[in-house]
Amino acid sequence: MSKISKSSRKAAQIKSAVDTYIAAQTGGTYNYRQVSAAIGQSTPAGQKAVAMYLAELAFDGVIIETAPGKYKTPSRTVTATGVFSRRSNGKNSVITDGDGEEIFVAERNSMHALNGDKVEVSIAARVKGREPEAKVIKILEKKAQTFIGTLKVDKYFAYLITDSKYLATDIYIPKAKLKGGKTGDKAIVRITNWPDDANNPQGEVVDILGKTGENKAEMHAILAEFGLPYKYPEAVEKAADKIGAGITDEEVARREDMRGVTTFTIDPRDAKDFDDALSIRKLPNGNYEIGVHIADVTHYVRPGSIIDKEAEERATSVYLVDRVVPMLPEHLSNGICSLRPDEDKLTFSVIFEMDKNGKIVDSRIARTVIRSDRRFTYEEAQEVIETGKGDFAEEILTLDKFAKVLRKNRYENGSVDFDRVEVRFDIDEKGHPVSVFFKESKDANKLIEEFMLLANKAVAEAIGIVPKRKKAKAFVYRIHDVPDAERLSNLAALARTFGYKLKTEGEAKDINRSINKMLADVKGKGEENLLATLAIRSMAKAVYSTENVGHYGLGFDYYTHFTSPIRRYPDMMVHRLLEKYLAGGRTVSLDKLEEECKHSSEREQLAANAERASIKYKQVEYMGDHLGEVFDGVISGVTEWGLYIELDDNKCEGLVPMRDLADDFYDFDEKNYCLIGRKYNNRYRLGDKVKVQVARADLQRKQLDFVIVDEKNPPRSLDTLKASKPMGRSQAAYEKPGKKKGKGRQKRH
């Protein structure tokens, strides 16, 4: 036994010496004799051990074998540039520009770089058994940094206790830079200086949002956290207020007058910006003319104007849990452009001729003027569909019939059927959530959805399908790439264990039909949550682009966003391009258009993140009224730090930290989405049903903690739960993988 231990120690010493030798090499090649001589291994046994270890390192890719028996250290650049990623848990890193590799940066080597800063780093040579490490040697470009948090003002100094997951320290603020802030205020602070020898940065107050905990202050803080505006510039508001409807006889003469055609809007009950309307009339040949009329926003918002620049920068309206932050000033979004009933309105329309069976016979695009006869809520239109009675019942029932034909055809052609429940809160006058309800998509919602999809598709085809001997023109497409092949393969393998077959190769429409069949087959079964969740996660993210690759999820070769210009800037871009090209204009700059597409996609993602953060805040606030209560739920996420649980009753989601799974030591099985107990082999898998108790609700960090309740773990008393404090867990531990890429709420596709 002692002999084996001695030889093992000898081998370890040789390997360590070789590692040290390799780490010191900056160029040139070496062989086992050179390495052996350098580390003092002159015996045949020692040299053999060195030779075998060098071969092993070459096999692992740590070193490169340039010729038989000749090696060199990989020619990784000693310095590189990249983007610094700071985390409050100390796990800082740099994402290198060259290969996108994420390399660890210790705090002592960070030069106080902040998240998003462009940096130059030196990279230590890779050593077997250790992760590569980098050191910041220069900050090339500092990203404008503001942080949200709560002010604490003492007699001689003040500081901001940050809410950020990107900064672990407080920010010191000279009292002259407080901007009137007081202890307990929610504030935005800009870092102005961070001396090399200081542990904390210095800053100044940019704005006071209100008292921490007040609803308005917290919602504005969420917007500010994601760099989104929470108030409108006064100059933009004033410019918008000067704009009138301008529906003159001359303007009407330039358009197709459809004011005499039955027209109505169908929108959520709390909506004020009606950007789409439907018209319907029967033609002499027995067919139907269906008009999809969209607010003609670009008639009022001219390119390069102060309103247009603000809208372009915002790129989208932001839908928080209790409010809408509009892209356009309310005078335009809720007034001039909104297709309100009994008012003449200017519109951009796609008009379809459909036969009695819902087949499209013809279509055209036109600038129009309309007059809506009725404003329906979704609930009112749904009642008409269900009872066959009410205003414009014949028209609504006909449109519903056609929408169902369109929907059936769409699914047959490969559109994916993801029908997810949306969670909404009933909120009191102080902004406190008092109850939860689920927003379901019924026939009235689907009616509008189908005609908006149809119009968007028709516009994209009108520009995207190029006649022979004609060049394609630069255009804005809404694209959705193919699913992640590895995730789809993993989904198929997991589905097989439950007895479902899923295609992973072949035509897109065949794969999507296969996904739809699985989603239909799992309805109401125990594995529904697991497989439906993984199916969504396998999908790519939809973005805007000038390069059309089609929309995989919808099964469309051509698709754009045309139908919501009041709340999406890309739709305004499409309106302008459509007007230009229909009039015979030349193509615009592809590069500039692509930059605008990228900006809009990024802003859309930020808006979606802010919406999720506001929902998370309200979930924690709501569940704070239910501490100690027990709920049924389903495991919605599995990570190395614990289990995410979504409650059945209200869809609120919280974390069971790994440290609270005290009955065993659990390993994370990433491939099979589960935690496995080492001793008892107990398993927690994505989609499993569990019972949990609400343990903690931390509003400041938007953190909701649960504990598992079962036969071995009965519910705890409220006093016991309160005594159980979080153990220094960082905000980063609450970021569920994949959540950042989810889609935000969309009123229309």
Side-chain angles (χ1 to χ4, degrees):
M1 185 71 72
S2 61
K3 186 177 180 182
I4 295 173
S5 297
K6 186 176 180 180
S7 64
S8 295
R9 282 196 300 272
K10 181 69 173 174
Q13 289 169 357
I14 291 174
K15 288 182 177 181
S16 178
V18 172
D19 287 341
T20 302
Y21 175 90
I22 290 172
Q25 302 309 301
T26 57
T29 61
Y30 43 85
N31 58 33
Y32 82 94
R33 289 191 182 89
Q34 290 170 294
V35 178
S36 297
I39 67 174
Q41 293 297 322
S42 57
T43 67
Q47 291 180 348
K48 182 179 179 183
V50 171
M52 291 181 67
Y53 186 50
L54 288 172
E56 180 184 332
L57 292 176
F59 181 82
D60 290 340
V62 177
I63 59 177
I64 299 170
E65 188 172 16
T66 59
K70 188 178 286 189
Y71 307 92
K72 74 171 184 176
T73 303
S75 58
R76 183 184 184 92
T77 52
V78 177
T79 62
T81 59
V83 177
F84 189 80
S85 176
R86 173 174 285 280
R87 287 294 180 270
S88 61
N89 59 6
K91 295 181 179 179
N92 306 327
S93 61
V94 62
I95 313 296
T96 59
D97 292 334
D99 52 16
E101 185 176 359
E102 185 173 359
I103 305 173
F104 174 71
V105 180
E107 181 59 35
R108 66 182 180 278
N109 295 325
S110 70
M111 281 188 70
H112 297 323
L114 295 173
N115 194 64
D117 285 354
K118 184 87 169 179
V119 296
E120 183 177 353
V121 295
S122 63
I123 303 165
R126 190 185 296 269
V127 177
K128 183 175 173 62
R130 294 186 218 161
E131 289 296 318
E133 191 168 338
K135 178 181 181 180
V136 177
I137 56 176
K138 190 175 182 182
I139 298 176
L140 302 173
E141 185 180 326
K142 293 193 73 66
K143 182 181 178 183
Q145 298 285 345
T146 57
F147 294 89
I148 319 297
T150 301
L151 288 176
K152 180 77 166 64
V153 182
D154 289 338
K155 187 175 181 180
Y156 299 107
F157 61 89
Y159 54 93
L160 183 84
I161 304 168
T162 67
D163 298 343
S164 176
K165 58 180 173 286
Y166 300 123
L167 192 66
T169 63
D170 299 334
I171 302 173
Y172 284 101
I173 305 167
K175 296 191 80 171
K177 300 290 186 179
L178 274 172
K179 215 171 183 178
K182 299 179 176 62
T183 294
D185 282 348
K186 199 84 172 185
I188 305 173
V189 168
R190 178 191 298 115
I191 288 180
T192 55
N193 186 32
W194 194 341
D196 292 341
D197 58 350
N199 291 327
N200 297 75
Q202 299 170 3
E204 62 182 5
V205 172
V206 175
D207 200 5
I208 303 296
L209 301 175
K211 286 294 178 184
T212 294
E214 290 181 351
N215 185 63
K216 183 178 179 181
E218 296 297 342
M219 292 300 106
H220 283 182
I222 287 170
L223 290 166
E225 176 189 352
F226 292 100
L228 298 168
Y230 50 90
K231 54 188 176 185
Y232 236 102
E234 189 176 342
V236 180
E237 295 273 17
K238 286 182 178 179
D241 290 341
K242 294 177 182 177
I243 297 176
I247 305 179
T248 61
D249 290 342
E250 291 77 15
E251 184 59 39
V252 171
R254 286 192 285 267
R255 296 171 177 261
E256 186 172 340
D257 190 346
M258 300 191 70
R259 288 176 292 183
V261 184
T262 299
T263 305
F264 44 79
T265 60
I266 304 176
D267 286 280
R269 58 187 168 199
D270 57 350
K272 296 176 182 177
D273 55 340
F274 312 140
D275 49 12
D276 55 77
L278 293 176
S279 70
I280 179 171
R281 63 178 166 188
K282 198 166 186 178
L283 299 173
N285 63 3
N287 290 340
Y288 289 86
E289 181 189 81
I290 312 295
V292 180
H293 307 287
I294 309 302
D296 194 353
V297 174
T298 55
H299 175 81
Y300 299 102
V301 180
R302 309 312 298 171
S305 67
I306 188 174
I307 301 171
D308 183 57
K309 288 177 180 177
E310 181 70 19
E312 182 179 19
E313 176 58 30
R314 291 179 177 232
T316 179
S317 295
V318 183
Y319 292 83
L320 298 188
V321 72
D322 67 336
R323 69 194 63 206
V324 178
V325 183
M327 181 182 76
L328 296 170
E330 289 191 12
H331 177 68
L332 292 174
S333 60
N334 296 351
I336 296 294
C337 297
S338 185
L339 307 184
R340 299 184 298 196
D342 302 318
E343 296 180 14
D344 290 353
K345 295 290 178 179
L346 302 181
T347 46
F348 216 150
S349 307
V350 186
I351 302 161
F352 301 94
E353 182 179 345
M354 305 177 78
D355 67 20
K356 62 181 180 179
N357 297 315
K359 181 181 177 182
I360 298 170
V361 176
D362 197 7
S363 66
R364 68 183 190 279
I365 299 170
R367 296 301 262 282
T368 57
V369 57
I370 67 163
R371 187 178 183 87
S372 175
D373 298 291
R374 172 77 147 82
R375 185 255 160 143
F376 285 95
T377 65
Y378 280 124
E379 291 79 7
E380 290 169 339
Q382 185 64 30
E383 187 176 353
V384 172
I385 291 170
E386 291 176 0
T387 65
K389 299 177 182 178
D391 293 346
F392 304 110
E394 183 180 349
E395 289 86 349
I396 288 177
L397 291 172
T398 301
L399 288 171
D400 178 57
K401 182 181 78 170
F402 290 167
K404 285 170 178 169
V405 171
L406 292 171
R407 191 175 182 83
K408 179 174 178 291
N409 292 340
R410 183 161 60 84
Y411 286 139
E412 286 179 353
N413 288 322
S415 191
V416 184
D417 184 14
F418 288 126
D419 196 6
R420 301 289 285 176
V421 173
E422 291 185 46
V423 180
R424 295 290 178 263
F425 293 92
D426 283 319
I427 294 172
D428 65 18
E429 64 278 0
K430 293 183 179 180
H432 187 78
V434 293
S435 65
V436 177
F437 65 93
F438 302 140
K439 180 184 172 185
E440 293 183 71
S441 183
K442 296 186 176 181
D443 286 343
N445 305 77
K446 294 172 183 177
L447 183 162
I448 293 296
E449 178 184 39
E450 288 306 323
F451 281 104
M452 297 308 116
L453 291 173
L454 186 64
N456 286 332
K457 179 171 175 274
V459 168
E461 289 176 341
I463 304 301
I465 298 177
V466 184
K468 288 182 179 180
R469 293 184 292 279
K470 294 282 188 179
K471 289 185 69 175
K473 293 183 176 179
F475 198 58
V476 176
Y477 296 97
R478 180 67 168 177
I479 64 169
H480 184 229
D481 213 340
V482 296
D484 182 277
E486 184 178 356
R487 289 186 177 183
L488 193 62
S489 180
N490 290 342
L491 172 62
L494 198 60
R496 276 196 298 273
T497 66
F498 292 100
Y500 305 104
K501 289 184 179 180
L502 190 65
K503 286 180 69 70
T504 58
E505 296 178 348
E507 293 284 334
K509 64 181 180 181
D510 294 328
I511 294 173
N512 288 359
R513 283 175 188 157
S514 176
I515 293 173
N516 286 341
K517 185 177 188 310
M518 183 194 72
L519 293 173
D521 291 344
V522 299
K523 287 282 187 186
K525 296 180 181 176
E527 60 271 19
E528 178 182 359
N529 287 292
L530 169 63
L531 296 179
T533 300
L534 293 180
I536 290 174
R537 291 183 189 174
S538 71
M539 292 291 155
K541 181 176 64 177
V543 295
Y544 299 104
S545 177
T546 57
E547 184 179 350
N548 182 41
V549 299
H551 196 294
Y552 183 90
L554 292 172
F556 292 164
D557 292 330
Y558 299 89
Y559 190 65
T560 190
H561 271 171
F562 163 81
T563 55
S564 294
I566 289 177
R567 66 182 184 89
R568 293 187 307 224
Y569 195 77
D571 301 56
M572 290 176 59
M573 292 160 61
V574 166
H575 279 219
R576 286 171 178 157
L577 291 171
L578 196 59
E579 178 184 22
K580 181 183 181 71
Y581 294 159
L582 290 178
R586 299 178 65 180
T587 188
V588 300
S589 166
L590 189 68
D591 291 342
K592 186 174 186 300
L593 196 61
E594 183 59 36
E595 285 178 17
E596 291 176 324
C597 286
K598 184 179 179 182
H599 172 73
S600 292
S601 297
E602 290 170 351
R603 299 295 286 187
E604 177 188 42
Q605 188 60 54
L606 287 174
N609 292 343
E611 180 188 5
R612 280 194 293 274
S614 75
I615 292 171
K616 184 66 179 178
Y617 185 89
K618 289 302 173 189
Q619 286 180 337
V620 176
E621 190 177 8
Y622 176 74
M623 294 309 295
D625 297 336
H626 299 274
L627 288 177
E629 295 182 24
V630 175
F631 294 86
D632 290 319
V634 64
I635 297 175
S636 55
V638 183
T639 72
E640 64 268 25
W641 55 80
L643 302 167
Y644 287 92
I645 312 296
E646 183 182 87
L647 303 183
D648 294 343
D649 287 352
N650 50 43
K651 303 299 180 187
C652 290
E653 188 180 62
L655 180 72
V656 177
M658 187 75 85
R659 59 179 166 74
D660 284 347
L661 295 172
D663 62 326
D664 203 343
F665 188 92
Y666 286 84
D667 292 314
F668 174 44
D669 182 348
E670 187 174 9
K671 186 174 182 180
N672 292 301
Y673 309 94
C674 66
L675 296 181
I676 305 173
R678 289 185 181 179
K679 186 174 181 180
Y680 301 110
N681 201 37
N682 187 30
R683 293 172 182 248
Y684 291 106
R685 188 164 70 168
L686 192 70
D688 283 353
K689 296 284 187 180
V690 291
K691 200 175 285 286
V692 294
Q693 186 179 22
V694 184
R696 287 173 290 273
D698 186 341
L699 267 176
Q700 184 178 351
R701 293 194 175 276
K702 305 181 191 76
Q703 296 174 177
L704 188 59
D705 281 1
F706 299 144
V707 292
I708 296 286
V709 173
D710 54 28
E711 293 178 0
K712 296 179 182 178
N713 302 287
R716 307 175 193 180
S717 69
L718 204 53
D719 289 339
T720 303
L721 291 171
K722 288 179 180 177
S724 175
K725 300 291 184 183
M727 297 169 62
R729 193 152 34 116
S730 72
Q731 174 75 7
Y734 284 84
E735 293 176 4
K736 184 175 174 185
K739 279 281 186 175
K740 290 182 179 179
K741 295 184 178 180
K743 293 181 182 177
R745 178 175 63 174
Q746 296 291 334
K747 181 181 160 195
R748 305 282 191 261
H749 282 266

